[in-house]
Structures are given as C-alpha cells and as structure tokens.
Amino acid sequence: MNLKCAIVDDEPLALNLLESYATKTPFLELVGKYSSAVQAMNDLPDKQVDLLLLDIQMPELNGLEFSKMVNPHTRIVFTTAFDQYAIDGYKVNALDYLLKPISHVDFLQAANKAVQWFELMQQPKEEIESIFVKSDYKLVQVELKNILYIEGLKDYIKIYEENIPKPILSLMSMKAMEELLPSSRFMRVHRSFIVQKDKIRIIDRGRIVFGKNHIPISDSYKQIFQNFLDKRS
C-alpha cells in the first residue's frame, strides 16, 4: 500500500530531515511540505493526504489547533521537542507521537503504523480479526476473539478480555469503538457497554453476567437485545 504524505514544521532543519526520510520510504509519496500550519491550511484541502507529519509548537496556528481542521481521513503523527504535549496529541486522535530529534527508525515505525491502519480500514469489518487501540502512548493490538465487553467512561474506554484481569484503558469514544467493530459479533446494550454476542453465557434479571461483573441492558436497547435472544432461543 502506498500513502500520500505531507509535512508541516516551522524548523527548516526538521522539515528537511523529515523530507529526506519520506523520500527514502518506498511506500510514501510526499505531496507537500510546509513551514507553517497557515500555509498548509491553504494548500492541503486540494490534496488527498493519508499521513500528515505535524509539528506541535508553531507560531500563529499550532499543530494541535490545526489537527482539528484536517480531513478526518488523514492520520496524524505529531512531531515535537516537548513531550508534555503527548496526551494532547491523543485527545485529537493522533496515530503516533514522535519526540525530536527523530531517528530514521522511529520515523519508519510511525509510517508502518499508518500503513497498518489503512490496511485495516480497507478490510470488510466482518473479516477483521484484530484492532489497534492507543494505550499508554502505545498502539496495542487486541484480538477480537478475546474481547468480552467494552465499557465507556467519558473520554475513555476499558476493553475487558477473557482470562486477563486488567482491562486495556484507551483514550477514545464508544462511538469510535463501535464503528471499528463488526456488528455481526458485537452489540451495544447500554450507552456505556458493548458486548461480544458469542461470549454471553448468563443473563440474570435483565443483566449480562461476566464473572463478577453485571452489565446492564438499558431500555433503549432492550428490544434489540430481545431480538438477538429470540434468534438464538
């Protein structure tokens, strides 16, 4: 898979370094480089950019502000010398975060994550066997077959897996997670819970039981859940 990429950085040395990395990467096509977010904002809408390498600390319009204006199709990798910005990067759904000075190896790892993301998105949902979620500044691969249920907590979700006592905590919305999961295998039963259908073993007084945890079924999802039960009864 080939990806179209662009670079935004107000430091000439950093801009040139990232350009050299991009041009040496066979699966990347560099379609633009910009010394400011304002300059990129005027030019990028006319281009289909898959991967954007974006500096955070820039005058006029910083990278975090600009990232919220970028086409949702575009995956963002933040580049910065200030690691305190890391969590802010994930709040705008960045794919990765690179700390300057950026090595060629780190660049390639981020570029490969972008390829994996787009390859995953091209697969029909029913064929997806695993997904990548961001947790503790890393991308973690989660096998769908191992998921019991997902719990939503404001800006975060918890992914509970079979035989693993500690859930995976990820900064993403329930809506985003629901869009990733195949509906043939997963269903929403509450605004705060998504369950894997084939993992349901016990239903007790209108609640799904996973070990010591009881998952409520809200009124707005009761009919959908009942339809599911009727098909399997």
Side-chain angles (χ1 to χ4, degrees):
M1 172 177 283
N2 293 324
L3 302 181
K4 293 184 178 180
C5 75
I7 305 164
V8 185
D9 200 309
D10 67 323
E11 299 175 26
L13 289 176
L15 189 63
N16 291 335
L17 179 66
L18 291 172
E19 179 186 17
S20 72
Y21 289 164
T23 54
K24 286 189 292 188
T25 306
F27 56 84
L28 293 181
E29 178 190 350
L30 185 62
V31 296
K33 63 171 189 173
Y34 310 95
S35 57
S36 73
V38 173
Q39 185 185 23
M41 183 174 60
N42 293 328
D43 191 51
L44 282 182
D46 298 326
K47 298 177 178 178
Q48 178 75 11
V49 174
D50 302 308
L51 174 63
L52 180 63
L53 295 146
L54 181 59
D55 186 26
I56 291 179
Q57 194 76 352
M58 293 185 290
E60 295 184 272
L61 182 66
N62 70 43
L64 291 174
E65 294 167 337
F66 178 57
S67 69
K68 298 170 186 176
M69 307 174 190
V70 173
N71 188 312
H73 165 85
T74 304
R75 295 293 90 195
I76 294 172
V77 171
F78 280 121
T79 63
T80 184
F82 302 94
D83 57 4
Q84 68 265 29
Y85 285 104
I87 190 65
D88 293 323
Y90 285 102
K91 283 182 179 177
V92 292
N93 203 26
L95 182 69
D96 205 351
Y97 168 85
L98 297 177
L99 188 63
K100 295 179 180 179
I102 299 165
S103 71
H104 193 201
V105 171
D106 289 341
F107 176 90
L108 285 174
Q109 287 177 341
N112 278 309
K113 285 180 185 178
V115 170
Q116 290 171 355
W117 172 271
F118 282 102
E119 286 178 343
L120 179 63
M121 291 300 101
Q122 282 190 354
Q123 282 183 261
K125 279 189 182 182
E126 308 311 320
E127 296 180 7
I128 294 174
E129 295 300 328
S130 65
I131 58 174
F132 286 91
V133 298
K134 294 181 288 293
S135 182
D136 295 329
Y137 310 117
K138 300 184 293 290
L139 277 176
V140 179
Q141 187 178 34
V142 182
E143 297 286 336
L144 296 191
K145 65 183 180 182
N146 296 332
I147 297 175
L148 290 173
Y149 66 95
I150 297 110
E151 180 182 7
L153 302 165
K154 293 187 178 180
D155 295 331
Y156 291 84
I157 62 167
K158 284 183 176 180
I159 302 172
Y160 291 83
E161 298 177 274
E162 273 185 314
N163 304 318
I164 299 178
K166 186 178 179 182
I168 296 171
L169 184 67
S170 179
L171 183 56
M172 68 185 297
S173 68
M174 285 288 279
K175 183 175 184 296
M177 173 54 81
E178 192 173 16
E179 289 174 351
L180 277 178
L181 298 171
S183 60
S184 62
R185 297 174 63 178
F186 293 85
M187 68 184 303
R188 191 102 173 239
V189 296
H190 188 279
R191 64 176 301 192
S192 299
F193 292 98
I194 297 170
V195 300
Q196 180 154 200
K197 298 174 186 179
D198 287 345
K199 300 297 184 182
I200 298 172
R201 299 288 182 266
I202 302 171
I203 301 164
D204 180 22
R205 287 170 286 185
R207 296 180 298 172
I208 302 166
V209 181
F210 289 114
K212 296 180 180 180
N213 298 324
H214 291 66
I215 309 302
I217 302 165
S218 66
D219 290 341
S220 56
Y221 293 96
K222 275 184 179 176
Q223 189 57 55
I224 296 171
F225 189 71
Q226 187 59 51
N227 293 343
F228 158 74
L229 290 180
D230 289 345
K231 289 179 181 178
R232 301 214 177 182
S233 300

